[in-house]
Each structure stands twice: as structure tokens, then as C-alpha cells.
Amino acid sequence: MIGDTGVSRLDALRFARRVVAEQTARQLALIDRWITDEERREVEHRRGQARRPAAAEWLIQHGLNRTNRDAVHTGDCWAAARSGRCRPATREEALDALRQRVPACVHCRPDTALGLQS
């Protein structure tokens, strides 16, 4: 017996084992939920990546009023990414814009990529 409590040392150890086992089971269940949540997030991320439309090959930069066309860019131009005013365009739209004297970006040179040397 331990002191005057009437509980033997063996009973106290068995109680301590049950407490630790219950706490461990709860913590493992919590970790299992975290793993399940993370697996779900990864599946959603992969699904989103697969559904994402392909990047545009050509971009047309519009002015602040959205009716003026300021420049033509290739799809991977860093200057177009910084402007925030570009919209995707087809090859034909980019060619048409260049033929209508919309300036070609001086950094990515879409006129050269499209075969229109200035």
C-alpha cells in the first residue's frame, strides 16, 4: 500500500498505464485526422492543377480604360506579369494587334516570335 490511501503500488501503476494508453489513443486519433486532412488537401491540389487551363501563349496588355491596347507580349513575359492588365490572346489576335500598330513588348519581342520583323 502507498501511504494511508489504501491503494497498492501495483494498482497505481495499472491506473497510470490506463491513463497513458487513453491519452496515447486520443493523440494517435488526432494525428490520424491530421493525416487524412492533409491527404485530402493534396488530392484537391492535384485535381486543381490538372484542371487549371494552360497558360496563354500570347497576351495583349490593355490600358487603364480597357479599350486601348498598349502592348503585345508572349505568354511568359515578366513585364506582362507585372502589369496586371494583360488578357490572353490567340495567335491570330496577337498578329492582328501587331498589324494594327499595337507596340510589341521590347523585352519579350512577340513580333519576332510571330515572324513579324519590324
Side-chain angles (χ1 to χ4, degrees):
M1 290 212 183
I2 300 177
D4 295 333
T5 61
V7 178
S8 73
R9 183 170 167 82
L10 184 58
D11 288 340
L13 288 172
R14 285 183 178 144
F15 174 77
R17 186 184 189 291
R18 278 196 316 271
V19 169
V20 170
E22 288 174 10
Q23 289 175 346
T24 302
R26 277 196 302 268
Q27 292 301 314
L28 286 174
L30 179 62
I31 291 170
D32 288 341
R33 278 197 309 270
W34 291 344
I35 289 170
T36 302
D37 290 345
E38 191 60 32
E39 288 171 343
R40 180 185 44 79
R41 279 189 215 99
E42 284 184 9
V43 167
E44 289 172 357
H45 179 73
R46 283 192 300 268
R47 190 179 306 141
Q49 292 293 329
R51 290 182 180 173
R52 178 175 285 175
E57 285 190 58
W58 310 103
L59 300 169
I60 296 181
Q61 180 177 333
H62 293 271
L64 295 176
N65 64 3
R66 299 198 183 266
T67 57
N68 295 340
R69 297 181 293 180
D70 290 343
V72 178
H73 299 273
T74 60
D76 59 351
C77 179
W78 64 268
R82 285 191 173 182
S83 81
R85 296 181 301 176
C86 292
R87 295 185 186 153
T90 64
R91 178 181 176 86
E92 292 74 29
E93 291 170 333
L95 282 168
D96 185 49
L98 290 170
R99 288 184 186 126
Q100 292 179 12
R101 304 282 183 204
V102 175
C105 173
V106 297
H107 303 289
C108 62
R109 300 306 307 175
D111 52 346
T112 305
L114 287 166
L116 296 176
Q117 303 281 330
S118 302

